[in-house]
Amino acid sequence: MRVLHYVNQFYAGLGGEDSAGIGPRMLEGTVGPGRLLAQLLGAEHEIVATLVCGDDHAASNATAAQELLEMARDAGAEVLVAGPAFGSGRYGLACARLVAAAQSAGLPALASMHPDNPGISDAGEAPVIASGATAREMRPSVQRLAAAVVKVAAGEELTPADGKVTPAARIGQLVTQRSAARAVELVLRRLGGDREATEVPVGGFGVVEPAAPIDKAASVTVALVTEGAVVPAGNPDRLESARATRWLRYPIDGVDSLASGEWESVAGGFATTAANADPNRLVPLDAARTLEREGTIGRLHEEFLVTVGNGTPVATARRFGVEWAAELRKAGVQAAILTAT
Amino acid sequence: MTIAEQVGAPRIVPGRGIPYPSGDPSLPPAGEQQWRRQLVQCALDAVTTAVEHPTIFEAGVVHA
């Protein structure tokens, strides 16, 4: 079968963050992890070309996946493979969107990424094969991916045994003790020094590596972003007041202050009286504008980004964070102030 | 430990209440303007400072 492989700019050898803005392109044959993948696929399947896109471009352009898919079709793809993206957010989003577009267009496609990758929810009907968390696990990740590609090429269904990521199953279980007794038991264990015992494991937040500092705010563009649900009065775009599924952007070029009556917060998790009396209490536009005028801030970004944090799942919030970072980097923004409620 | 530290936000400027991260309704208008300016200034100090783990920057304090 004719296989096309998608990787980001880094794995294509085109550069790191400095090249994250490059648009969709196609390279002949295999590059980077594609070489190992080709070797493991054997003689029956050939990686005929490698699709590449910069992570920022892929994460912030709605049409990138479609453009890449057209390139794949032109190259006569019979199967499309993306990744492994490991835990990398933008790369994971790019892989997921591409395989989703391919699968829904009738081209068999699969992606590889870590099960905690925020991109995973964008893969639609396409299967995602679990990879390790980092590139240190390249070889076992590509081995598992290659085996899955062979199955897909043969028209077989993938199962969790192939490493396919599926929603966590809730399985009923009979226990001998009632909940009150179990709760007391847990309390006693806790008092005895056991910090781990639980019946409800809570997912972690992961580790965020701090970005390098900027040199001087006076020479860069700074963005204001918020999870405080600040929107134009009347909420014309219907931002949710809880459990956000999306984020919005509003232009503030030439606006000196967020006037009461023109802007409001639709957040459902706190009393918005104070914020609605002066929306600058949620997005500090008036103060930031003054500092821009005085030269302390080089330039304020022309729009602010907003969602609602109230009740929004961590996985969704992480995806928004990935998209915001790509969006802002593409616009040349070098620092962001996120006001959080 | 604050929530912001728990979730691993690298640079944190504490406000004075959940409903008004960049304000303080208990202050007279001029005082609140001054406070908001200090918060933004502090955030700018924070992004020009290297950090390795969640770090709190208090507004109104001079950061070296």
Side-chain angles (χ1 to χ4, degrees), chain A residues 225 239 256:
Chain A
V225 302
L239 180 66
D256 284 340

Side-chain angles (χ1 to χ4, degrees), chain A residues 205 208 210-211 213-215 217 270-271 274 278 280-284 286-287 290-291 294 296-297 337 340-341, chain B residues 6-8 10-11 18-23 25 32-33 36-37 40-41 43-44 47-53:
Chain A
F205 295 105
V208 178
I214 56 167
D215 189 30
F270 61 89
D278 180 359
N280 297 286
R281 288 172 173 156
L282 278 182
V283 177
D286 57 358
T290 305
L291 288 164
E294 294 171 2
T296 307
I297 293 175
I337 299 174
T341 55
Chain B
Q6 280 177 42
V7 301
R11 296 174 173 89
I18 286 171
Y20 34 83
S22 55
E32 187 176 14
Q33 286 289 339
R36 180 150 52 244
R37 185 189 165 99
V40 176
Q41 182 66 61
L44 297 173
V47 294
T48 52
T49 306
V51 301
E52 284 174 8
H53 45 77

Side-chain angles (χ1 to χ4, degrees), chain A residues 321-335:
Chain A
V322 167
E323 290 173 347
W324 283 9
E327 187 71 41
L328 296 176
R329 283 170 46 91
K330 193 180 67 169
V333 174
Q334 281 177 273

Side-chain angles (χ1 to χ4, degrees), chain A residues 5-17 19-20 22-23 25 27 31-33 50-56 58 68 81-86 88-92 94-95 98 138:
Chain A
H5 184 214
Y6 175 81
V7 295
N8 70 356
Q9 84 284 353
F10 177 74
Y11 287 104
L14 300 178
E17 285 298 338
S19 304
I22 64 171
R25 65 196 59 192
L27 307 175
V31 290
T50 303
L51 297 166
V52 186
C53 187
D55 280 340
D56 283 343
L68 289 162
V81 188
F86 304 104
S88 163
R90 286 167 298 167
Y91 188 15
C95 289
L98 177 57
M138 178 64 87

